[in-house]
Amino acid sequence: MDASKPSLGTDGAPKRPNFLLIVADDLGFSDLSCFGGEIRTPNLDRLAEEGVRFTDFHAAAACSPSRAMIMTGTDHHIAGLGNLIEWTNRAGQNAPDRENKHHFSTAPQRGMPGYEGYLNERVVAFPELLRDAGYLTLMSGKWHLGLTPDKSPKARGFERSFAHLPACSNHYAYEPQLEKPDRTPDFMTMSFIALHSEDGEYVKKLPEGWYSSDGYGDKMLGYLKDRYEQKDGRPFFAYYPFTAPHWPLQAPQEYIEHYKGVYDDGPDALRLRRLRRLKEMGLVGEDVEAHPVVADEVKAWDDMRPDEKAKSCRAMEVFAAMVECIDVNVGKVVDYLRDTGELDNTFVCFLSDNGAEGAAYEAYPIVQGQMMQHLQKYYDNSLENLGRGDSFIWYGPRWAQAATAPSRLYKAFTTEGGVRVPFLAKLPADLSTHTSAFGTTTDNSTPTPHKPGSITHAFATVMDLAPTILSMANITHPAPTYHDRAIVPMRGLSMLPFLVGAAPAVHPADHITGWE
């Protein structure tokens, strides 16, 4: 496409851009190949080659708080997700043991404003504004912002939606406890049933052969095909948040096979390899020294027995397979947009909702006892079975810190390892209408968008996504009111001036963002 000629709609006016917002669940900073990893991610790599990678992009330290900020452009405490509702309701999930210095009671949060556990009425979700402005709004994947129909994606602006409502679940929807008289363990009650809704109605049965990433990919592709076949000329916003690679670590065998033996030298060696590649790619400075690994609650690699090492390596192999499967399903959708001529007019971005998940849940009191007995009864965690639907594993703090290095710690900690996430953005091919809106830069030159494949170290956060998308769609946020109710303004800033080269940074040099 000739970027000097604006893309025009059927009425002769400049076409409004489409948006594809892709979110991975608990992906580490260096897991993708284009961010220093060894995992096969050719589709995301291609988007990175066509776009911009951010090395200083930040989310919240856990899932639903990040998603609340994505949907509203403001702080998650304001939007109703001050904490994961699962952690607010059960303090025992936030530390390995009750004597641990990290343990704290979440009881004071319960019932308090900002901790409702769903998007509250003080905010407007930006898909509501896109819908009101004539966009077709689509979603397929993890919601985690409310479990009931009145809190579903349909209630917050999505015309079509296939939504995983809770925090996580078995990726194959294997739920043997539902068919037995046994009481479901406390650790599983709010997080492990594959509860979905479609267009606001609960899904009674998932399709045969269900695997989460493939299922969400098929559904999103179906929505886009419906639009094309029905000749729906509206621009679209497609929200595509995966439940992978969140535990339980499970993946199709064809992808697991790609990583056999890749991680046999352990997490410390992987950490060093990725750090070298991060430096070679210019994603971190040559002089950066990684924070030491913090993992006192688990054995060091050299102290593990051979059988323990084998299972640990297999867990990482399955994790890598989950990431590759995400990439395949990203490619499924992006290739369709390319084939139908829509990709050039689509703003595509990809991120993780927080740092890699490093919890050693086997050390948590809430998991010990009833939960472990449940896993032993219903699941097969033998080496040969790991990764299948009737296995149930996580990979722990050492593998997680191979992915978050050089930063400290991982998900749930408000350290860089917990909140700094990979982010890439591919701009529409035709940016003339956007660059002209900013006039000239401070040196009176015409703004020049970032070159394809470039890397930026500019600071930005997930709160900046909603302002960016609304500004590209030429939509004004309605604060202080929306539909006769009081709402808060967005706290994020549009990244568009920076992306098109009209500003040196997304935020002023004295900008401060805080985390709790």
Side-chain angles (χ1 to χ4, degrees):
M1 179 180 291
D2 183 353
S4 66
K5 297 179 180 179
S7 177
L8 302 179
T10 56
D11 59 357
K15 287 178 66 175
R16 292 186 292 175
N18 305 311
F19 302 99
L20 175 60
L21 173 54
I22 310 164
V23 183
D25 196 355
D26 294 358
L27 184 80
F29 183 79
S30 65
D31 283 325
L32 303 183
S33 176
C34 55
F35 273 86
E38 68 297 321
I39 300 174
R40 303 182 188 190
T41 54
N43 296 293
L44 288 164
D45 293 351
R46 182 173 179 181
L47 288 173
E49 291 167 2
E50 298 170 349
V52 184
R53 280 166 288 172
F54 282 65
T55 67
D56 201 18
F57 193 86
H58 292 73
C63 321
S64 55
S66 289
R67 295 161 199 276
M69 293 197 288
I70 290 170
M71 284 289 107
T72 65
T74 194
D75 187 271
H76 58 96
H77 296 81
I78 295 170
L81 281 300
N83 196 354
L84 290 169
I85 189 64
E86 296 83 4
W87 291 353
T88 292
N89 287 347
R90 298 185 185 279
Q93 293 196 42
N94 62 37
D97 66 74
R98 293 196 177 278
E99 302 304 320
N100 189 288
K101 63 183 179 181
H102 296 301
H103 180 83
F104 63 93
S105 173
T106 54
Q109 299 174 359
R110 297 169 198 163
M112 298 301 291
Y115 293 90
E116 293 92 343
Y118 54 83
L119 286 186
N120 61 32
E121 293 299 302
R122 290 198 290 166
V123 294
V124 60
F126 80 86
E128 298 177 80
L129 305 179
L130 290 169
R131 175 201 61 196
D132 295 350
Y135 270 76
L136 172 63
T137 49
L138 310 170
M139 177 193 166
S140 180
K142 178 174 171 177
W143 180 238
H144 202 193
L145 296 173
L147 295 172
T148 56
D150 61 319
K151 305 294 188 297
S152 71
K154 181 179 181 180
R156 301 315 294 245
F158 286 97
E159 183 173 331
R160 300 301 316 275
S161 62
F162 188 87
H164 180 280
L165 299 176
C168 58
S169 66
N170 188 294
H171 293 278
Y172 287 97
Y174 172 74
E175 296 166 342
Q177 72 277 1
L178 299 183
E179 301 172 6
K180 305 289 183 180
D182 297 6
R183 177 174 174 267
T184 301
D186 291 342
F187 189 64
M188 302 179 80
T189 53
M190 290 187 67
S191 303
F192 293 86
I193 297 172
L195 180 64
H196 287 76
S197 72
E198 184 160 25
D199 300 336
E201 300 291 330
Y202 290 125
V203 174
K204 294 181 180 179
K205 182 175 174 57
L206 291 169
E208 290 297 322
W210 175 262
Y211 178 72
S212 62
S213 297
D214 292 337
Y216 303 135
D218 290 344
K219 186 61 70 171
M220 179 58 77
L221 187 61
Y223 288 156
L224 291 168
K225 285 184 175 180
D226 287 347
R227 170 184 177 269
Y228 184 78
E229 292 166 2
Q230 294 166 9
K231 295 181 170 57
D232 186 338
R234 291 176 293 171
F236 66 81
F237 167 67
Y239 181 43
Y240 195 19
F242 292 88
T243 54
H246 195 297
W247 51 265
L249 302 183
Q250 299 163 331
Q253 193 65 33
E254 62 181 295
Y255 301 120
I256 298 175
E257 292 290 332
H258 294 164
Y259 301 96
K260 282 195 172 179
V262 171
Y263 304 108
D264 284 358
D265 50 359
D268 299 328
L270 176 63
R271 195 170 196 250
L272 291 174
R273 284 198 300 273
R274 288 197 179 178
L275 274 169
R276 281 196 300 271
R277 191 150 181 258
L278 285 168
K279 293 179 179 182
E280 291 168 0
M281 297 173 73
L283 291 161
V284 301
E286 284 286 347
D287 59 344
V288 164
E289 293 185 19
H291 190 281
V293 171
V294 181
D296 295 340
E297 67 273 32
V298 296
K299 289 183 180 179
W301 180 253
D302 290 342
D303 295 335
M304 288 184 177
R305 301 189 309 268
D307 62 310
E308 292 173 325
K309 287 183 176 181
K311 282 193 171 184
S312 182
C313 290
R314 182 62 52 81
M316 184 62 208
E317 292 168 10
V318 177
F319 178 91
M322 296 175 80
V323 176
E324 181 176 346
C325 190
I326 288 175
D327 184 80
V328 168
N329 282 284
V330 168
K332 181 189 300 183
V333 169
V334 171
D335 286 348
Y336 179 76
L337 295 178
R338 186 178 282 112
D339 292 344
T340 54
E342 294 280 10
L343 188 61
D344 274 353
N345 192 42
T346 302
F347 176 66
V348 183
C349 54
F350 175 93
L351 67 148
S352 179
D353 62 346
N354 43 246
E357 165 66 286
Y361 282 108
E362 65 274 19
Y364 283 42
I366 198 168
V367 176
Q368 295 168 348
Q370 186 190 22
M371 174 67 179
M372 297 306 289
Q373 292 170 11
H374 181 88
L375 294 183
Q376 291 165 6
K377 180 175 182 179
Y378 292 113
Y379 292 83
D380 177 4
N381 281 344
S382 62
L383 177 63
E384 297 74 19
N385 199 58
L386 295 184
R388 295 174 180 162
D390 60 344
S391 68
F392 198 110
I393 55 171
W394 43 86
Y395 71 178
R398 296 190 181 277
W399 293 110
Q401 288 173 89
T404 60
S407 301
R408 179 172 176 257
L409 291 171
Y410 41 81
K411 175 184 175 179
F413 292 94
T414 51
T415 59
E416 286 288 275
V419 300
R420 189 170 68 124
V421 299
F423 177 76
L424 62 87
K426 185 207 76 69
L427 296 166
D430 174 23
L431 288 170
S432 58
T433 56
H434 297 299
T435 54
S436 62
F438 295 108
T440 59
T441 61
T442 53
D443 61 0
N444 292 320
S445 61
T446 301
T448 302
H450 289 267
K451 293 180 180 179
S454 62
I455 294 169
T456 177
H457 305 298
F459 174 84
T461 83
V462 291
M463 288 186 286
D464 301 324
L465 291 171
T468 302
I469 290 171
L470 291 177
S471 65
M472 293 182 74
N474 199 25
I475 297 171
T476 301
H477 192 276
T481 60
Y482 176 71
H483 289 184
D484 298 321
R485 76 172 193 266
I487 59 166
V488 299
M490 296 185 292
R491 289 194 171 193
L493 294 179
S494 173
M495 294 185 283
L496 187 56
F498 173 73
L499 290 170
V500 302
V506 178
H507 292 274
D510 60 352
H511 173 79
I512 294 173
T513 296
W515 284 266
E516 180 220 6

